[in-house]
Amino acid sequence: MKKYAFGADIGGTTVKLGLFTTEGELLEKWEITTRTGEEFDILQDVADSCRGMMEQKKLGKEEFAGIGIGVPGPVRDDGSVDVCVNLGWGKKQVRDEMEAALGMSVAVGNDANVAALGEMWQGGGKGYENVAMVTLGTGVGGGIIVGGKMISGAHGYGGEIGHMCINTHETEYCNCGKRGCLEQYASATGIVRMAKKALEASEEDSVLRKADSLTAKDVLDAAKFGDAFAVKLTEDFCRRLARGLSFVSCVTDPDIFVIGGGVSKAGSIITETVKKYFDGYVFGSQKDTKFGLATLGNDAGIYGCAKLIIGTEK
Ligand SMILES: [Zn+2]
């Protein structure tokens, strides 16, 4: 096996990069600005940056398994994207272009999917081969690993947990254009949306009425302090999330759900409450499914990118 691998997680504003040993140790991490626009070539920037690191560390190309790339959009199994709005890309064969730019093997994946792979490899899902990750941030992201393999599917939409419809009666629209998506309830934005609706519809006293601009953290913190209204909101959000995750369980039956993203900083209140409702939605040995927190934070992407290419050497 080769000794090193690069991981490059390309986001809308920055590219996070990591130099890894193929054993899973992160040796260096750094960032470059994502320069979008006609006159720039993001992949060339990434290739140049990797070459700079190889020179600095006196490493040769032949010592690398290659580079794994994460992009913010659906990615097909052949390493191409149909469109990636955040990066200003239309149809693009990312894998081939990157191979030409850097001269080493390349694997490409969706950013949420590679984060799941990273958490399976060295994070909250370590030790398991069947991992479903759900990222609760501004939106709800997901990544599914089955038998150690990341599932991207026919169109690159595998793992889009946030946009499964869990409520056919919803009247407001999700960012994706549909109504009733899990993201409308279980994201940070969704928690605030539901909290505001509930506060308006009720006269019940709550510390949340005193918050200037209500955040998901306010709701979860108040629940931890026993504010009855916030507890109800938290139970409701966890119940809806659990329902969505029970669908995932019926399809892929993971060993563990790893919960990450900003909202997950609330900790065990989320994993325990979700698990409680989840057990009511599933049957048989599905009730043995574990719930854990993500541990790699913003580095999950670069870990997963590196893991994507490691072991693929011909
Ligand atoms: Zn949606």
Side-chain angles (χ1 to χ4, degrees):
M1 200 195 245
K2 307 273 182 159
K3 275 172 87 171
Y4 304 101
F6 283 118
D9 188 8
I10 305 180
T13 51
T14 58
V15 183
K16 295 187 179 67
L17 291 128
L19 168 64
F20 290 83
T21 67
T22 48
E23 308 278 289
E25 191 188 347
L26 175 58
L27 300 174
E28 292 288 340
K29 67 168 172 172
W30 70 103
E31 289 185 7
I32 59 172
T33 305
T34 305
R35 300 192 300 172
T36 51
E38 289 282 304
E39 67 276 36
F40 299 117
D41 182 341
I42 300 169
L43 298 179
Q44 197 61 55
D45 286 348
V46 170
D48 290 343
S49 188
C50 288
R51 264 191 292 269
M53 182 55 68
M54 287 159 71
E55 268 169 38
Q56 194 187 319
K57 298 278 177 187
K58 301 192 169 40
L59 300 173
K61 235 191 300 197
E62 64 289 348
E63 296 176 89
F64 278 79
I67 180 170
I69 310 259
V71 301
V75 178
R76 290 180 185 265
D77 274 340
D78 67 356
S80 71
V81 301
D82 291 342
V83 65
C84 188
V85 181
N86 291 338
L87 303 179
W89 290 350
K91 246 186 188 338
K92 193 175 178 78
Q93 208 339 321
V94 181
R95 187 191 63 197
D96 294 355
E97 283 189 32
M98 192 68 203
E99 269 179 19
L102 189 58
M104 54 171 78
S105 294
V106 178
V108 190
N110 164 265
D111 56 358
N113 289 349
V114 295
L117 193 62
E119 287 289 343
M120 179 206 77
W121 189 34
Q122 296 293 343
K126 194 171 179 177
Y128 299 104
E129 284 211 316
N130 302 293
V131 176
M133 183 173 178
V134 50
T135 306
L136 310 176
T138 317
V140 172
I144 310 282
I145 313 293
V146 176
K149 193 181 177 303
M150 196 178 83
I151 303 300
S152 47
H155 314 94
Y157 281 71
E160 281 288 357
I161 294 172
H163 300 284
M164 58 171 68
C165 181
I166 59 156
N167 178 11
T168 53
H169 303 292
E170 179 61 53
T171 52
E172 290 177 35
Y173 284 92
C174 175
N175 284 330
C176 74
K178 301 191 301 149
R179 284 179 289 195
C181 293
L182 178 61
E183 178 165 305
Q184 288 183 279
Y185 311 94
S187 61
T189 338
I191 293 169
V192 171
R193 181 180 80 98
M194 296 306 283
K196 283 182 174 162
K197 275 177 89 157
L199 285 167
E200 258 172 47
S202 135
E203 301 272 283
E204 200 178 321
D205 191 35
S206 167
V207 292
L208 298 180
R209 294 197 186 277
K210 296 178 191 89
D212 292 336
S213 58
L214 194 63
T215 65
K217 186 176 185 298
D218 293 335
V219 175
L220 290 156
D221 283 349
K224 283 191 217 168
F225 280 105
D227 182 271
F229 197 80
V231 168
K232 270 189 281 181
L233 288 169
T234 302
E235 292 277 330
D236 185 59
F237 133 70
C238 289
R239 182 178 56 78
R240 290 173 193 264
L241 179 57
R243 181 142 183 266
L245 299 186
S246 76
F247 301 166
V248 175
S249 178
C250 285
V251 181
T252 72
D253 185 20
D255 294 301
I256 185 167
F257 281 100
V258 175
I259 303 184
V263 175
S264 74
K265 293 204 174 91
S268 59
I269 186 173
I270 295 183
T271 45
E272 284 166 15
T273 316
V274 172
K275 170 74 178 160
K276 176 180 77 181
Y277 287 108
F278 177 87
D279 284 355
Y281 289 128
V282 297
F283 67 107
S285 303
Q286 281 179 303
K287 291 184 202 287
D288 297 335
T289 309
K290 294 172 179 61
F291 284 79
L293 294 167
T295 61
L296 298 176
N298 290 333
D299 292 342
I302 50 173
Y303 272 93
C305 288
K307 179 62 179 159
L308 201 55
I309 192 69
I310 292 169
T312 61
E313 299 104 308
K314 284 147 210 146

